[in-house]
Amino acid sequence: MSFEPCPSSLIDTHCHLAGDEFVDDLEAVIARALEAGVTDAVCILDAASGVERQRVDRLRQLWPSLRFAAGLHPHHAAQVAADEVTRLVSEVLAQTSAVAVGEIGLDYHYDFAPREVQQVIFADQVALAVARDLPVVIHSREADADTLAVLDTHGGGRARGVFHCFTGDQALAEAAVSRGFHLSFSGIVTFPRADALREVARWVPADRWLVETDSPYLAPAPRRGGRNEPARVQAVLETIARCRGLSIEEAQAQAWRNANAVFGATPPSRGRVDTPTTMC
Ligand SMILES: [Zn+2]
Ligand SMILES: [Zn+2]
């Protein structure tokens, strides 16, 4: 499955529209997204949640171009028996014709599951993604070295995808890009104190950045703290455009191409680290 090239469209590459937070006014949320020019989104499904799976048909009806990704989040790594994870995630991938495995990864900030368990569950899903030739959507928090180690060990040099809600430093950005990965920026890049992150957004090669909302989380400035929704991906795009010296139209077209490279049929080139010519 690939996205049709449409440079005037905007895509929110990471949102949780199947969550409880959107049940009451999903139609209005989607209408606002479309009005804002956000024609597409990747909806992240929690593979362990039967409730989210039940909402897929309604989501599809309301937003036919919506794509899905499915995975077992590190927060829930202890909720499913390790030998069941691959079967469970495979089932949801098939049910939804998913374009990616995710979100998956390691979260050592909350440590909701033991770290060894998180690592095993992450590794199995990386292997699954590689076997299916699907990208991964990675959630990595305070776990940079182990995240890279799992990708290197279990990706067999073929893992690709995106570090979602990227908040890492320059070293992690370079490590991710040199492995062929994309960095996805969320509303955090709009926060007043996020100068270091905006530096990364300026540095990242032109073909390696994406924008997302992570709705309902991470509302961009100035609505910080409220419920987020896909329409607000525009604010993230505007910040990235400003950092990189692009017009909104140029940024939008680039974001679209990059999303297509990750979630469409054509894998991105690997190992390239070119330096952008634009400045913040
Ligand atoms: Zn996440
Ligand atoms: Zn998320």
Side-chain angles (χ1 to χ4, degrees):
M1 186 183 299
S2 68
F3 295 108
E4 292 300 316
C6 180
S8 61
S9 299
L10 187 53
I11 176 168
D12 177 1
T13 64
H14 190 114
C15 58
H16 297 265
L17 281 186
D20 294 345
E21 297 85 352
F22 293 108
V23 169
D24 289 343
D25 63 344
L26 189 57
E27 288 91 341
V29 168
I30 292 171
R32 282 195 291 272
L34 296 174
E35 270 165 35
V38 183
T39 58
D40 290 76
V42 178
C43 176
I44 307 293
L45 294 171
D46 171 7
S49 168
V51 176
E52 289 200 0
R53 289 175 66 175
Q54 283 169 10
R55 292 171 181 157
V56 167
D57 287 346
R58 181 170 175 234
L59 281 160
R60 274 214 174 102
Q61 265 172 2
L62 293 173
W63 199 348
S65 60
L66 192 65
R67 265 65 172 183
F68 294 91
L72 189 63
H73 194 286
H75 287 347
H76 305 147
Q79 292 174 13
V80 179
D83 57 357
E84 274 294 297
V85 171
T86 299
R87 185 198 60 77
L88 177 69
V89 174
S90 299
E91 211 174 275
V92 191
L93 293 175
Q95 179 203 340
T96 60
S97 305
V99 295
V101 177
E103 58 185 292
I104 60 175
L106 303 172
D107 193 314
Y108 294 172
H109 180 76
Y110 287 109
D111 278 328
F112 286 149
R115 293 180 179 183
E116 318 78 66
V117 175
Q118 291 189 44
Q119 288 162 16
V120 169
I121 301 298
F122 179 32
D124 286 352
Q125 293 181 94
V126 168
L128 175 65
V130 167
R132 299 285 176 90
D133 195 23
L134 286 172
V136 287
V137 177
I138 296 170
H139 171 110
S140 176
R141 192 155 182 203
E142 297 173 22
D144 298 356
D146 284 357
T147 296
L148 294 170
V150 168
L151 289 174
D152 289 345
T153 309
H154 298 273
R158 294 191 295 137
R160 61 187 174 91
V162 53
F163 279 65
H164 111 86
C165 189
F166 188 82
T167 52
D169 58 13
Q170 181 69 24
L172 181 63
E174 288 179 16
V177 166
S178 70
R179 286 167 172 79
F181 280 81
H182 287 65
L183 310 183
S184 180
F185 296 95
S186 69
I188 290 176
V189 79
T190 69
F191 294 171
R193 288 189 191 168
D195 287 334
L197 188 57
R198 282 186 285 275
E199 267 305 300
V200 174
R202 185 195 65 77
W203 168 85
V204 67
D207 61 348
R208 297 301 184 83
W209 60 270
L210 304 176
V211 286
E212 66 169 78
T213 60
D214 205 9
S215 303
Y217 314 109
L218 305 176
R223 296 189 182 83
R224 195 171 176 179
R227 184 189 68 169
N228 202 1
E229 59 180 63
R232 296 196 187 133
V233 76
Q234 188 73 39
V236 183
L237 185 87
E238 283 167 11
T239 298
I240 304 285
R242 211 165 39 243
C243 283
R244 300 182 66 86
L246 299 172
S247 69
I248 297 296
E249 291 72 24
E250 288 168 335
Q252 194 156 313
Q254 186 71 56
W256 183 270
R257 282 195 296 273
N258 294 350
N260 194 43
V262 177
F263 299 111
T266 312
S269 57
R270 331 189 135 256
R272 260 176 53 204
V273 185
D274 25 56
T275 309
T277 50
T278 49
M279 298 296 283
C280 226

